[in-house]
CSV table of all heavy atoms in Angstrom, one decimal:
chain,number,residue,atom,x,y,z
A,15,TYR,N,-1.4,-114.8,-7.5
A,15,TYR,CA,-2.8,-114.7,-8.0
A,15,TYR,C,-3.3,-116.1,-8.4
A,15,TYR,O,-2.5,-117.0,-8.6
A,15,TYR,CB,-2.7,-113.9,-9.4
A,15,TYR,CG,-2.7,-112.4,-9.2
A,15,TYR,CD1,-2.3,-111.7,-8.0
A,15,TYR,CD2,-3.1,-111.6,-10.2
A,15,TYR,CE1,-2.4,-110.4,-7.9
A,15,TYR,CE2,-3.2,-110.2,-10.1
A,15,TYR,CZ,-2.7,-109.6,-9.0
A,15,TYR,OH,-2.8,-108.3,-8.8
A,23,LEU,N,-4.4,-111.7,-17.4
A,23,LEU,CA,-3.5,-110.6,-16.9
A,23,LEU,C,-3.4,-109.4,-18.0
A,23,LEU,O,-3.5,-108.3,-17.6
A,23,LEU,CB,-2.2,-111.1,-16.5
A,23,LEU,CG,-1.3,-110.4,-15.6
A,23,LEU,CD1,-2.1,-110.0,-14.3
A,23,LEU,CD2,-0.1,-111.1,-15.3
A,30,ARG,N,-15.0,-106.9,-22.2
A,30,ARG,CA,-15.7,-108.1,-21.7
A,30,ARG,C,-15.3,-108.5,-20.4
A,30,ARG,O,-16.0,-109.3,-19.7
A,30,ARG,CB,-15.4,-109.3,-22.7
A,30,ARG,CG,-13.9,-109.7,-22.8
A,30,ARG,CD,-13.8,-110.8,-23.8
A,30,ARG,NE,-12.3,-111.2,-23.9
A,30,ARG,CZ,-11.9,-112.2,-24.4
A,30,ARG,NH1,-12.7,-113.1,-24.8
A,30,ARG,NH2,-10.6,-112.4,-24.5
A,35,SER,N,-15.2,-99.5,-13.3
A,35,SER,CA,-13.8,-99.9,-12.8
A,35,SER,C,-13.8,-101.2,-12.0
A,35,SER,O,-13.0,-101.5,-11.2
A,35,SER,CB,-13.3,-98.7,-11.8
A,35,SER,OG,-14.2,-98.6,-10.8
A,45,TYR,N,-14.0,-117.6,-19.1
A,45,TYR,CA,-12.9,-117.6,-20.1
A,45,TYR,C,-11.7,-118.5,-19.6
A,45,TYR,O,-11.2,-119.2,-20.4
A,45,TYR,CB,-12.4,-116.1,-20.2
A,45,TYR,CG,-11.2,-115.9,-21.2
A,45,TYR,CD1,-11.5,-116.0,-22.6
A,45,TYR,CD2,-10.1,-115.6,-20.7
A,45,TYR,CE1,-10.4,-115.8,-23.4
A,45,TYR,CE2,-8.9,-115.4,-21.6
A,45,TYR,CZ,-9.1,-115.5,-22.9
A,45,TYR,OH,-8.1,-115.3,-23.8
A,51,GLY,N,-9.2,-125.9,-20.3
A,51,GLY,CA,-9.6,-127.1,-21.1
A,51,GLY,C,-8.7,-127.1,-22.4
A,51,GLY,O,-8.2,-128.2,-22.8
A,53,PHE,N,-5.9,-125.8,-23.2
A,53,PHE,CA,-4.5,-126.0,-23.1
A,53,PHE,C,-4.1,-127.1,-22.1
A,53,PHE,O,-3.0,-127.3,-21.8
A,53,PHE,CB,-3.8,-124.7,-22.7
A,53,PHE,CG,-3.7,-123.6,-23.8
A,53,PHE,CD1,-4.8,-122.8,-23.9
A,53,PHE,CD2,-2.7,-123.7,-24.7
A,53,PHE,CE1,-4.7,-121.8,-25.0
A,53,PHE,CE2,-2.7,-122.8,-25.7
A,53,PHE,CZ,-3.7,-121.8,-25.9
A,56,ARG,N,-3.6,-128.4,-15.8
A,56,ARG,CA,-4.1,-129.1,-14.7
A,56,ARG,C,-3.8,-128.4,-13.3
A,56,ARG,O,-2.6,-128.0,-13.0
A,56,ARG,CB,-3.3,-130.5,-14.6
A,56,ARG,CG,-3.7,-131.3,-15.8
A,56,ARG,CD,-3.0,-132.7,-15.8
A,56,ARG,NE,-2.9,-133.1,-17.3
A,56,ARG,CZ,-1.8,-133.1,-17.9
A,56,ARG,NH1,-0.6,-132.8,-17.3
A,56,ARG,NH2,-1.7,-133.5,-19.2
A,57,SER,N,-4.9,-128.3,-12.6
A,57,SER,CA,-4.8,-127.5,-11.3
A,57,SER,C,-5.8,-128.2,-10.3
A,57,SER,O,-6.9,-128.6,-10.7
A,57,SER,CB,-5.1,-126.0,-11.6
A,57,SER,OG,-6.4,-125.9,-12.1
A,61,ALA,N,-9.9,-122.9,-11.8
A,61,ALA,CA,-9.5,-121.5,-12.0
A,61,ALA,C,-9.1,-120.8,-10.7
A,61,ALA,O,-8.5,-119.7,-10.7
A,61,ALA,CB,-10.6,-120.8,-12.7
A,71,GLY,N,5.4,-127.2,-15.3
A,71,GLY,CA,4.9,-127.5,-16.7
A,71,GLY,C,3.5,-126.8,-16.8
A,71,GLY,O,3.3,-126.2,-17.9
A,86,PRO,N,-1.0,-113.4,-31.5
A,86,PRO,CA,0.1,-112.6,-32.0
A,86,PRO,C,0.4,-113.0,-33.4
A,86,PRO,O,0.1,-114.0,-33.9
A,86,PRO,CB,1.2,-113.0,-31.0
A,86,PRO,CG,0.9,-114.4,-30.7
A,86,PRO,CD,-0.6,-114.4,-30.5
A,100,ILE,N,9.8,-134.1,-18.2
A,100,ILE,CA,9.8,-134.6,-19.6
A,100,ILE,C,8.4,-134.7,-20.2
A,100,ILE,O,8.2,-134.3,-21.3
A,100,ILE,CB,10.5,-135.9,-19.7
A,100,ILE,CG1,10.8,-136.3,-21.1
A,100,ILE,CG2,9.9,-137.0,-19.0
A,100,ILE,CD1,11.8,-135.5,-21.8
A,111,ASN,N,4.1,-126.6,-31.5
A,111,ASN,CA,4.0,-127.2,-32.9
A,111,ASN,C,2.6,-127.0,-33.5
A,111,ASN,O,2.4,-126.8,-34.7
A,111,ASN,CB,4.3,-128.7,-32.9
A,111,ASN,CG,5.8,-128.9,-32.8
A,111,ASN,OD1,6.7,-128.1,-33.3
A,111,ASN,ND2,6.3,-130.0,-32.1
A,114,ALA,N,2.5,-123.5,-34.7
A,114,ALA,CA,3.4,-123.4,-35.9
A,114,ALA,C,2.8,-124.0,-37.1
A,114,ALA,O,2.8,-123.4,-38.3
A,114,ALA,CB,4.7,-124.0,-35.6
A,115,ASP,N,2.1,-125.2,-37.0
A,115,ASP,CA,1.3,-125.8,-38.1
A,115,ASP,C,0.3,-125.0,-38.6
A,115,ASP,O,-0.2,-125.0,-39.8
A,115,ASP,CB,0.8,-127.1,-37.6
A,115,ASP,CG,2.0,-128.2,-37.4
A,115,ASP,OD1,3.1,-127.9,-37.9
A,115,ASP,OD2,1.6,-129.2,-36.9
A,118,LEU,N,1.6,-119.8,-37.4
A,118,LEU,CA,2.2,-118.8,-36.5
A,118,LEU,C,3.7,-118.9,-36.6
A,118,LEU,O,4.3,-119.9,-36.5
A,118,LEU,CB,1.7,-119.0,-35.1
A,118,LEU,CG,2.2,-118.1,-34.0
A,118,LEU,CD1,1.8,-116.6,-34.3
A,118,LEU,CD2,1.9,-118.5,-32.6
A,120,ILE,N,7.1,-118.5,-34.9
A,120,ILE,CA,7.6,-118.6,-33.5
A,120,ILE,C,9.1,-118.5,-33.6
A,120,ILE,O,9.8,-119.2,-34.3
A,120,ILE,CB,7.2,-120.0,-33.0
A,120,ILE,CG1,5.6,-120.1,-33.0
A,120,ILE,CG2,7.7,-120.2,-31.5
A,120,ILE,CD1,5.0,-121.5,-32.6
A,123,VAL,N,14.1,-119.2,-28.4
A,123,VAL,CA,15.5,-119.1,-27.9
A,123,VAL,C,15.7,-120.2,-26.9
A,123,VAL,O,15.0,-120.4,-26.0
A,123,VAL,CB,15.8,-117.8,-27.2
A,123,VAL,CG1,17.2,-117.7,-26.6
A,123,VAL,CG2,15.6,-116.6,-28.2
A,126,GLU,N,19.0,-125.5,-25.1
A,126,GLU,CA,18.9,-127.0,-25.1
A,126,GLU,C,18.9,-127.4,-26.6
A,126,GLU,O,18.0,-127.2,-27.4
A,126,GLU,CB,17.5,-127.4,-24.5
A,126,GLU,CG,17.4,-127.1,-23.1
A,126,GLU,CD,18.2,-128.0,-22.2
A,126,GLU,OE1,18.5,-129.2,-22.6
A,126,GLU,OE2,18.7,-127.5,-21.3
A,129,GLU,N,16.1,-129.6,-28.0
A,129,GLU,CA,14.8,-128.8,-28.2
A,129,GLU,C,14.8,-128.4,-29.6
A,129,GLU,O,13.9,-128.4,-30.3
A,129,GLU,CB,14.7,-127.7,-27.2
A,129,GLU,CG,14.3,-128.1,-25.9
A,129,GLU,CD,14.0,-126.9,-24.9
A,129,GLU,OE1,14.1,-125.8,-25.4
A,129,GLU,OE2,13.7,-127.2,-23.8
A,148,GLU,N,23.8,-120.4,-39.7
A,148,GLU,CA,22.4,-120.5,-39.9
A,148,GLU,C,22.0,-121.8,-40.7
A,148,GLU,O,22.6,-122.1,-41.7
A,148,GLU,CB,21.9,-119.3,-40.7
A,148,GLU,CG,20.4,-119.3,-40.8
A,148,GLU,CD,19.9,-117.9,-41.4
A,148,GLU,OE1,20.6,-117.0,-41.2
A,148,GLU,OE2,18.7,-117.9,-41.9
A,160,VAL,N,26.6,-128.1,-32.9
A,160,VAL,CA,27.7,-128.2,-31.9
A,160,VAL,C,29.0,-127.4,-32.5
A,160,VAL,O,29.6,-126.6,-31.9
A,160,VAL,CB,28.1,-129.6,-31.5
A,160,VAL,CG1,29.4,-129.6,-30.7
A,160,VAL,CG2,26.9,-130.2,-30.6
A,165,LYS,N,32.5,-122.2,-32.9
A,165,LYS,CA,33.2,-121.2,-33.6
A,165,LYS,C,33.2,-119.8,-32.9
A,165,LYS,O,34.2,-119.0,-33.1
A,165,LYS,CB,32.4,-120.9,-35.0
A,165,LYS,CG,32.6,-122.0,-36.0
A,165,LYS,CD,31.8,-121.7,-37.3
A,165,LYS,CE,32.0,-122.8,-38.3
A,165,LYS,NZ,31.1,-122.6,-39.5
Side-chain angles (χ1 to χ4, degrees):
Y15 277 23
L23 200 58
R30 66 180 171 164
S35 59
Y45 179 73
F53 289 91
R56 293 178 211 111
S57 58
I100 190 72
N111 285 326
D115 289 346
L118 179 63
I120 300 172
V123 175
E126 295 289 327
E129 286 184 4
E148 185 170 335
V160 170
K165 286 182 184 176

